[in-house]
Amino acid sequence: MPNEADTCRRYVVPRLQAAGWDNEPHRINEQVTFTDGRIIVAGRRGRRRPGKRADYILRFRPDLAIAVVEAKPTYATPGEGLQQAKEYAEILGLRFAYATNGHGIIEFDYTTGLEREIDAFPTPEELWARLTGNESLSPEAAERLLTPAYHLSGKTPRYYQEIAINRAIQAVGQGRRRILLTMATGTGKTVVAFQICWKLWSSRWNPGGEYRRPRILYLADRNILVDDPMAKIFAPFGDARWKIANGHAVKSREMYFAIYQSIARDVNRPGLYREYAPDFFDLVIVDECHRGSARDDSNWREILEYFEPAFQIGMTATPRRQDNADTYNYFGDPIYTYSLRQGIDDGFLAPYRVHRVVTTWDAAGWRPSQGDLDRYGREIPDEEYHTGEFERIVALRARTEAVARHLTDFLRRTDRFAKTIVFCVDQEHAEEMRRALNNLNTDLVRQHPDYVCRVTSDEGDVGRGHLSNFQDLERRTPVILTTSQLLTTGVDAPTVQNIVLVRVINSMTEFKQIIGRGTRVRDDYGKLFFSILDYTGSATRLFADPDFDGEPSIETEQTIDEEGEPTEEETVITPEPEDERPEELPPDEDDAPRRKFYFDGGQVEIAAHLVYELDPDGNQLRVVQFTDYTADKVRTLFRNAVELREQWSDPDCRRGIIDRLEERGIDFDHLAETANQPDADPLDLLCHLAFNGPLRTRRERAQRLRTERRDFFDQYGPEARQILEELLDKYTEHGTAQFLIPDVLELPPICQHGNVMEIAVKFGGEDRLVEAVRQLQTILYQAA
């Protein structure tokens, strides 16, 4: 019976070719995997689900996809794959979806809403005419949309980047002068901006229709946000590039870069931007446009208003919120949004755990004793101080040291060389935190003096040097950077594994930027997820935008003593109805003058440690024990302990069980650790948690096999029996992974019996060796 591959080869491809899709410049892309596959975190390991794959993507031009085709076997109905085709079309931003069994074809046309059976695939020209007619594109705008992208860099835009590029070009062609793209941090907004500029520049677009290349201004608010793109991604523009700086208004180039501060007016100058005519620039790209440029009360807003004749494209990482509403009011609704939730679902962005850590002073507040003096002999006002006032009104050294001690212990339990950024209240607090972390890690600091560094504006070039080394994928140090505001955005450090919040963040926009420091994925460096250590409650309060971010989804609670050691079992989170969102607090006033009191006494402990994880389905969660979470998942897979044991005793089925549990975020090493049962057999632990079965150690199970089933061993010769006994010893010590053939045969003491072939001879051949090990496992798990 023909399968799906036969259908594709024998029927679908010839019919697509007959419609002209294989003729230049059109394309048939076959078996296209367009996502990387969501990363599932189990314990301390990450694994990927399979990526989404379309059977065929039809392209009118190499850079413009127009339709998706899903094929099913000839014995299926033609429309069986239509729902999948529509799902992919909606993800890919396509207007035409097709399903076929090789004989019949079902079309769904998003431009009309009609679903119908057709005799043959439409030609490329027919679909293009339908699309341009629906979008009211003029011939000139349609031709500009077909301008080739730049591909010599070797990086092909991801599907969502291609959508953003093409929609922006289309919006420009339709005469829309204010355009907004909302894309989560780490999704490549700069690449999108480059391709938009390149297509418009190379097609000689300009609002007046003159035969010349456009003049484009790329605006941001930090040098790192213009210097890095100008030197790297925008390098293909060559000598057309120019950075406006140092008071010089050069007008002979085409691709300009500037930061607001260098061209805005201030008390000393009227504004360098006025050296250019209002209609000098044809296009203005505004990177991170939520940070000031489009705010009603910003003096930078006047720059955009001055260049009102230009088309303006704003790029932001944050959806509409109260603190960035001016941006959306200025640019309008985004023409395309790609959220953190989507990025995580697609596997392009890293999922995260949120560790909520509470000190006793944060939990109950801190109040000085009567007559307490600070470091400089000043009496501290007799008030009760809380988290938002720590390090702003009163600096508590004991709290800083407790946080540093907990963070150090966390790194010791996970990875002491995991790149970590610690966000502090101000530069002074960042220095106190750096010193505390340095002194708690002297064993590593002796070998690596730059293990912990502060990177703030005070450091200047020295700090930038530390930051550059931190970003370098090949350098191990610095490992920990302490900062206040400098690293909240514009820092591309793909291997950051820990984001630490030791200051209250009231701005959702700033919070999203900070979290974006950890969302990059680097499979080749083992960076598949990251942790947020939240000592102020900012993360748990601000993760209140589920449509954009997805909720942290497995929550575990742990109480920890003053030494950072857990005193209770960890807990996990399962879905519950979403609570009413908390009222958002006003933004931080980080530049306001402060007068701190410095208190160096007292004792503070870590009172609680909660952990939130993204569950595979992105649901919102409530707190339950991790063991209860595991038990619930096991009961959804198996009706009783007998069914679980029968499948577990088969090595092939056991692998499937392990995979299904890992898909649900359950890792056996992590489970044994949190249940405080390091010696328990995984099967016994699962049966105990889910069905209240007896809990046995691996040693007990192995000894029971030796005692009750001597007949199994007696059927083999002395040396073969010894090898089986040694396999059992390895299982007792390390678990079921020790039954992997031939790997375990190459390890001592078993390898002392000879190589794999020589060991197989002792069992009467390779097949009998494999059967003996298989039977050993089956008997091991037969006993109740």
Side-chain angles (χ1 to χ4, degrees), residues 30-54:
E30 299 183 51
Q31 300 300 314
V32 182
T33 300
F34 56 89
T35 72
D36 281 356
R38 183 181 177 123
I39 297 166
I40 303 299
V41 180
R44 296 190 181 120
R45 297 181 297 113
R47 54 176 291 181
R48 286 190 181 275
R49 285 177 172 174
K52 291 184 172 67
R53 186 173 70 176

PDB file of all heavy atoms in Angstrom, residues 30-54:
ATOM      1  N   GLU A  30      10.728  21.090  -0.457  1.00  0.00           N
ATOM      2  CA  GLU A  30      10.162  19.844   0.040  1.00  0.00           C
ATOM      3  C   GLU A  30      10.632  19.542   1.459  1.00  0.00           C
ATOM      4  O   GLU A  30      11.782  19.808   1.818  1.00  0.00           O
ATOM      5  CB  GLU A  30      10.563  18.680  -0.871  1.00  0.00           C
ATOM      6  CG  GLU A  30      10.072  18.813  -2.303  1.00  0.00           C
ATOM      7  CD  GLU A  30      10.429  17.594  -3.135  1.00  0.00           C
ATOM      8  OE1 GLU A  30      10.130  16.481  -2.676  1.00  0.00           O
ATOM      9  OE2 GLU A  30      11.004  17.761  -4.219  1.00  0.00           O
ATOM     10  N   GLN A  31       9.733  18.967   2.264  1.00  0.00           N
ATOM     11  CA  GLN A  31      10.046  18.516   3.622  1.00  0.00           C
ATOM     12  C   GLN A  31      10.805  19.595   4.395  1.00  0.00           C
ATOM     13  O   GLN A  31      11.949  19.427   4.808  1.00  0.00           O
ATOM     14  CB  GLN A  31      10.860  17.216   3.574  1.00  0.00           C
ATOM     15  CG  GLN A  31      10.144  16.064   2.883  1.00  0.00           C
ATOM     16  CD  GLN A  31       8.826  15.706   3.585  1.00  0.00           C
ATOM     17  OE1 GLN A  31       8.773  15.594   4.805  1.00  0.00           O
ATOM     18  NE2 GLN A  31       7.764  15.536   2.804  1.00  0.00           N
ATOM     19  N   VAL A  32      10.144  20.720   4.590  1.00  0.00           N
ATOM     20  CA  VAL A  32      10.771  21.893   5.208  1.00  0.00           C
ATOM     21  C   VAL A  32      10.504  21.892   6.716  1.00  0.00           C
ATOM     22  O   VAL A  32       9.360  22.016   7.162  1.00  0.00           O
ATOM     23  CB  VAL A  32      10.215  23.194   4.597  1.00  0.00           C
ATOM     24  CG1 VAL A  32      10.916  24.400   5.210  1.00  0.00           C
ATOM     25  CG2 VAL A  32      10.372  23.180   3.087  1.00  0.00           C
ATOM     26  N   THR A  33      11.560  21.740   7.512  1.00  0.00           N
ATOM     27  CA  THR A  33      11.443  21.882   8.964  1.00  0.00           C
ATOM     28  C   THR A  33      11.669  23.355   9.290  1.00  0.00           C
ATOM     29  O   THR A  33      12.777  23.867   9.135  1.00  0.00           O
ATOM     30  CB  THR A  33      12.468  21.003   9.693  1.00  0.00           C
ATOM     31  OG1 THR A  33      12.245  19.640   9.338  1.00  0.00           O
ATOM     32  CG2 THR A  33      12.339  21.153  11.204  1.00  0.00           C
ATOM     33  N   PHE A  34      10.618  24.047   9.717  1.00  0.00           N
ATOM     34  CA  PHE A  34      10.732  25.501   9.860  1.00  0.00           C
ATOM     35  C   PHE A  34      10.796  25.972  11.311  1.00  0.00           C
ATOM     36  O   PHE A  34      10.876  27.170  11.572  1.00  0.00           O
ATOM     37  CB  PHE A  34       9.577  26.206   9.118  1.00  0.00           C
ATOM     38  CG  PHE A  34       8.193  25.781   9.525  1.00  0.00           C
ATOM     39  CD1 PHE A  34       7.540  26.425  10.557  1.00  0.00           C
ATOM     40  CD2 PHE A  34       7.553  24.739   8.856  1.00  0.00           C
ATOM     41  CE1 PHE A  34       6.263  26.043  10.928  1.00  0.00           C
ATOM     42  CE2 PHE A  34       6.264  24.352   9.219  1.00  0.00           C
ATOM     43  CZ  PHE A  34       5.627  25.001  10.257  1.00  0.00           C
ATOM     44  N   THR A  35      10.757  25.051  12.272  1.00  0.00           N
ATOM     45  CA  THR A  35      11.065  25.405  13.660  1.00  0.00           C
ATOM     46  C   THR A  35      12.133  24.454  14.166  1.00  0.00           C
ATOM     47  O   THR A  35      12.359  23.379  13.594  1.00  0.00           O
ATOM     48  CB  THR A  35       9.832  25.319  14.580  1.00  0.00           C
ATOM     49  OG1 THR A  35       9.498  23.941  14.788  1.00  0.00           O
ATOM     50  CG2 THR A  35       8.632  26.046  13.987  1.00  0.00           C
ATOM     51  N   ASP A  36      12.788  24.836  15.259  1.00  0.00           N
ATOM     52  CA  ASP A  36      13.858  23.996  15.814  1.00  0.00           C
ATOM     53  C   ASP A  36      13.330  22.924  16.755  1.00  0.00           C
ATOM     54  O   ASP A  36      14.060  21.998  17.099  1.00  0.00           O
ATOM     55  CB  ASP A  36      14.882  24.866  16.557  1.00  0.00           C
ATOM     56  CG  ASP A  36      15.831  25.560  15.606  1.00  0.00           C
ATOM     57  OD1 ASP A  36      15.738  25.301  14.391  1.00  0.00           O
ATOM     58  OD2 ASP A  36      16.676  26.357  16.057  1.00  0.00           O
ATOM     59  N   GLY A  37      12.079  23.031  17.205  1.00  0.00           N
ATOM     60  CA  GLY A  37      11.533  22.062  18.151  1.00  0.00           C
ATOM     61  C   GLY A  37      11.675  22.559  19.575  1.00  0.00           C
ATOM     62  O   GLY A  37      12.783  22.887  20.026  1.00  0.00           O
ATOM     63  N   ARG A  38      10.566  22.637  20.273  1.00  0.00           N
ATOM     64  CA  ARG A  38      10.560  23.174  21.641  1.00  0.00           C
ATOM     65  C   ARG A  38      11.507  22.403  22.548  1.00  0.00           C
ATOM     66  O   ARG A  38      11.623  21.180  22.467  1.00  0.00           O
ATOM     67  CB  ARG A  38       9.142  23.131  22.213  1.00  0.00           C
ATOM     68  CG  ARG A  38       9.064  23.737  23.600  1.00  0.00           C
ATOM     69  CD  ARG A  38       7.660  23.667  24.172  1.00  0.00           C
ATOM     70  NE  ARG A  38       7.666  24.195  25.521  1.00  0.00           N
ATOM     71  CZ  ARG A  38       6.917  25.193  25.951  1.00  0.00           C
ATOM     72  NH1 ARG A  38       6.086  25.774  25.126  1.00  0.00           N
ATOM     73  NH2 ARG A  38       6.991  25.614  27.190  1.00  0.00           N
ATOM     74  N   ILE A  39      12.182  23.129  23.414  1.00  0.00           N
ATOM     75  CA  ILE A  39      13.104  22.525  24.379  1.00  0.00           C
ATOM     76  C   ILE A  39      12.317  22.155  25.636  1.00  0.00           C
ATOM     77  O   ILE A  39      11.626  22.991  26.222  1.00  0.00           O
ATOM     78  CB  ILE A  39      14.240  23.500  24.729  1.00  0.00           C
ATOM     79  CG1 ILE A  39      15.067  23.815  23.471  1.00  0.00           C
ATOM     80  CG2 ILE A  39      15.128  22.923  25.829  1.00  0.00           C
ATOM     81  CD1 ILE A  39      15.988  24.998  23.623  1.00  0.00           C
ATOM     82  N   ILE A  40      12.414  20.900  26.037  1.00  0.00           N
ATOM     83  CA  ILE A  40      11.782  20.411  27.256  1.00  0.00           C
ATOM     84  C   ILE A  40      12.864  20.230  28.311  1.00  0.00           C
ATOM     85  O   ILE A  40      13.883  19.578  28.069  1.00  0.00           O
ATOM     86  CB  ILE A  40      11.063  19.067  27.020  1.00  0.00           C
ATOM     87  CG1 ILE A  40      10.036  19.212  25.900  1.00  0.00           C
ATOM     88  CG2 ILE A  40      10.401  18.579  28.299  1.00  0.00           C
ATOM     89  CD1 ILE A  40       8.953  20.222  26.171  1.00  0.00           C
ATOM     90  N   VAL A  41      12.647  20.818  29.471  1.00  0.00           N
ATOM     91  CA  VAL A  41      13.625  20.737  30.556  1.00  0.00           C
ATOM     92  C   VAL A  41      13.181  19.659  31.531  1.00  0.00           C
ATOM     93  O   VAL A  41      12.060  19.684  32.033  1.00  0.00           O
ATOM     94  CB  VAL A  41      13.765  22.087  31.286  1.00  0.00           C
ATOM     95  CG1 VAL A  41      14.795  21.975  32.408  1.00  0.00           C
ATOM     96  CG2 VAL A  41      14.155  23.174  30.310  1.00  0.00           C
ATOM     97  N   ALA A  42      14.059  18.679  31.780  1.00  0.00           N
ATOM     98  CA  ALA A  42      13.805  17.627  32.760  1.00  0.00           C
ATOM     99  C   ALA A  42      14.999  17.583  33.691  1.00  0.00           C
ATOM    100  O   ALA A  42      16.109  17.242  33.268  1.00  0.00           O
ATOM    101  CB  ALA A  42      13.606  16.274  32.077  1.00  0.00           C
ATOM    102  N   GLY A  43      14.778  17.950  34.952  1.00  0.00           N
ATOM    103  CA  GLY A  43      15.904  18.020  35.877  1.00  0.00           C
ATOM    104  C   GLY A  43      16.862  19.104  35.443  1.00  0.00           C
ATOM    105  O   GLY A  43      16.488  20.262  35.275  1.00  0.00           O
ATOM    106  N   ARG A  44      18.116  18.728  35.234  1.00  0.00           N
ATOM    107  CA  ARG A  44      19.118  19.696  34.796  1.00  0.00           C
ATOM    108  C   ARG A  44      19.506  19.479  33.339  1.00  0.00           C
ATOM    109  O   ARG A  44      20.541  19.954  32.894  1.00  0.00           O
ATOM    110  CB  ARG A  44      20.367  19.608  35.693  1.00  0.00           C
ATOM    111  CG  ARG A  44      20.054  19.990  37.138  1.00  0.00           C
ATOM    112  CD  ARG A  44      21.311  20.137  37.967  1.00  0.00           C
ATOM    113  NE  ARG A  44      20.956  20.477  39.342  1.00  0.00           N
ATOM    114  CZ  ARG A  44      21.259  19.750  40.392  1.00  0.00           C
ATOM    115  NH1 ARG A  44      21.923  18.615  40.236  1.00  0.00           N
ATOM    116  NH2 ARG A  44      20.918  20.127  41.606  1.00  0.00           N
ATOM    117  N   ARG A  45      18.661  18.748  32.611  1.00  0.00           N
ATOM    118  CA  ARG A  45      18.947  18.480  31.204  1.00  0.00           C
ATOM    119  C   ARG A  45      17.826  19.020  30.324  1.00  0.00           C
ATOM    120  O   ARG A  45      16.677  19.100  30.739  1.00  0.00           O
ATOM    121  CB  ARG A  45      19.112  16.968  30.964  1.00  0.00           C
ATOM    122  CG  ARG A  45      20.280  16.355  31.719  1.00  0.00           C
ATOM    123  CD  ARG A  45      20.418  14.873  31.448  1.00  0.00           C
ATOM    124  NE  ARG A  45      19.259  14.123  31.904  1.00  0.00           N
ATOM    125  CZ  ARG A  45      18.414  13.505  31.103  1.00  0.00           C
ATOM    126  NH1 ARG A  45      18.581  13.564  29.784  1.00  0.00           N
ATOM    127  NH2 ARG A  45      17.384  12.826  31.583  1.00  0.00           N
ATOM    128  N   GLY A  46      18.199  19.367  29.114  1.00  0.00           N
ATOM    129  CA  GLY A  46      17.216  19.821  28.144  1.00  0.00           C
ATOM    130  C   GLY A  46      17.228  18.918  26.926  1.00  0.00           C
ATOM    131  O   GLY A  46      18.270  18.382  26.552  1.00  0.00           O
ATOM    132  N   ARG A  47      16.066  18.735  26.314  1.00  0.00           N
ATOM    133  CA  ARG A  47      15.971  17.956  25.079  1.00  0.00           C
ATOM    134  C   ARG A  47      14.951  18.631  24.183  1.00  0.00           C
ATOM    135  O   ARG A  47      14.065  19.345  24.652  1.00  0.00           O
ATOM    136  CB  ARG A  47      15.566  16.504  25.361  1.00  0.00           C
ATOM    137  CG  ARG A  47      14.303  16.378  26.171  1.00  0.00           C
ATOM    138  CD  ARG A  47      13.881  14.934  26.340  1.00  0.00           C
ATOM    139  NE  ARG A  47      13.436  14.370  25.086  1.00  0.00           N
ATOM    140  CZ  ARG A  47      13.002  13.122  24.962  1.00  0.00           C
ATOM    141  NH1 ARG A  47      12.984  12.322  26.009  1.00  0.00           N
ATOM    142  NH2 ARG A  47      12.590  12.662  23.789  1.00  0.00           N
ATOM    143  N   ARG A  48      15.067  18.390  22.897  1.00  0.00           N
ATOM    144  CA  ARG A  48      14.172  19.041  21.935  1.00  0.00           C
ATOM    145  C   ARG A  48      13.073  18.091  21.472  1.00  0.00           C
ATOM    146  O   ARG A  48      13.316  16.906  21.246  1.00  0.00           O
ATOM    147  CB  ARG A  48      14.948  19.530  20.717  1.00  0.00           C
ATOM    148  CG  ARG A  48      15.793  20.760  20.968  1.00  0.00           C
ATOM    149  CD  ARG A  48      16.330  21.293  19.652  1.00  0.00           C
ATOM    150  NE  ARG A  48      17.161  22.464  19.839  1.00  0.00           N
ATOM    151  CZ  ARG A  48      16.701  23.699  19.923  1.00  0.00           C
ATOM    152  NH1 ARG A  48      15.391  23.907  19.845  1.00  0.00           N
ATOM    153  NH2 ARG A  48      17.515  24.717  20.080  1.00  0.00           N
ATOM    154  N   ARG A  49      11.887  18.648  21.322  1.00  0.00           N
ATOM    155  CA  ARG A  49      10.848  17.950  20.581  1.00  0.00           C
ATOM    156  C   ARG A  49      11.142  18.100  19.089  1.00  0.00           C
ATOM    157  O   ARG A  49      11.889  18.997  18.686  1.00  0.00           O
ATOM    158  CB  ARG A  49       9.490  18.562  20.887  1.00  0.00           C
ATOM    159  CG  ARG A  49       8.929  18.201  22.256  1.00  0.00           C
ATOM    160  CD  ARG A  49       7.614  18.912  22.475  1.00  0.00           C
ATOM    161  NE  ARG A  49       6.930  18.460  23.678  1.00  0.00           N
ATOM    162  CZ  ARG A  49       5.835  19.000  24.150  1.00  0.00           C
ATOM    163  NH1 ARG A  49       5.290  20.032  23.524  1.00  0.00           N
ATOM    164  NH2 ARG A  49       5.264  18.541  25.253  1.00  0.00           N
ATOM    165  N   PRO A  50      10.535  17.268  18.257  1.00  0.00           N
ATOM    166  CA  PRO A  50      10.734  17.446  16.804  1.00  0.00           C
ATOM    167  C   PRO A  50      10.194  18.806  16.356  1.00  0.00           C
ATOM    168  O   PRO A  50       9.206  19.316  16.891  1.00  0.00           O
ATOM    169  CB  PRO A  50       9.910  16.301  16.194  1.00  0.00           C
ATOM    170  CG  PRO A  50       9.769  15.295  17.286  1.00  0.00           C
ATOM    171  CD  PRO A  50       9.717  16.076  18.563  1.00  0.00           C
ATOM    172  N   GLY A  51      10.864  19.397  15.378  1.00  0.00           N
ATOM    173  CA  GLY A  51      10.400  20.667  14.828  1.00  0.00           C
ATOM    174  C   GLY A  51       9.191  20.468  13.922  1.00  0.00           C
ATOM    175  O   GLY A  51       8.892  19.346  13.483  1.00  0.00           O
ATOM    176  N   LYS A  52       8.493  21.546  13.640  1.00  0.00           N
ATOM    177  CA  LYS A  52       7.345  21.483  12.721  1.00  0.00           C
ATOM    178  C   LYS A  52       7.867  21.360  11.290  1.00  0.00           C
ATOM    179  O   LYS A  52       8.773  22.093  10.891  1.00  0.00           O
ATOM    180  CB  LYS A  52       6.476  22.728  12.870  1.00  0.00           C
ATOM    181  CG  LYS A  52       5.726  22.808  14.200  1.00  0.00           C
ATOM    182  CD  LYS A  52       4.820  24.029  14.225  1.00  0.00           C
ATOM    183  CE  LYS A  52       3.923  24.018  15.462  1.00  0.00           C
ATOM    184  NZ  LYS A  52       4.661  24.192  16.710  1.00  0.00           N
ATOM    185  N   ARG A  53       7.264  20.461  10.538  1.00  0.00           N
ATOM    186  CA  ARG A  53       7.747  20.209   9.175  1.00  0.00           C
ATOM    187  C   ARG A  53       6.589  20.182   8.199  1.00  0.00           C
ATOM    188  O   ARG A  53       5.622  19.446   8.376  1.00  0.00           O
ATOM    189  CB  ARG A  53       8.512  18.884   9.114  1.00  0.00           C
ATOM    190  CG  ARG A  53       9.159  18.641   7.752  1.00  0.00           C
ATOM    191  CD  ARG A  53      10.028  17.421   7.771  1.00  0.00           C
ATOM    192  NE  ARG A  53       9.249  16.191   7.871  1.00  0.00           N
ATOM    193  CZ  ARG A  53       9.790  14.975   7.823  1.00  0.00           C
ATOM    194  NH1 ARG A  53      11.103  14.850   7.707  1.00  0.00           N
ATOM    195  NH2 ARG A  53       9.019  13.902   7.916  1.00  0.00           N
ATOM    196  N   ALA A  54       6.702  21.006   7.170  1.00  0.00           N
ATOM    197  CA  ALA A  54       5.700  21.043   6.105  1.00  0.00           C
ATOM    198  C   ALA A  54       6.167  20.172   4.943  1.00  0.00           C
ATOM    199  O   ALA A  54       7.353  20.125   4.625  1.00  0.00           O
ATOM    200  CB  ALA A  54       5.496  22.482   5.630  1.00  0.00           C
TER     201      ALA A  54
END
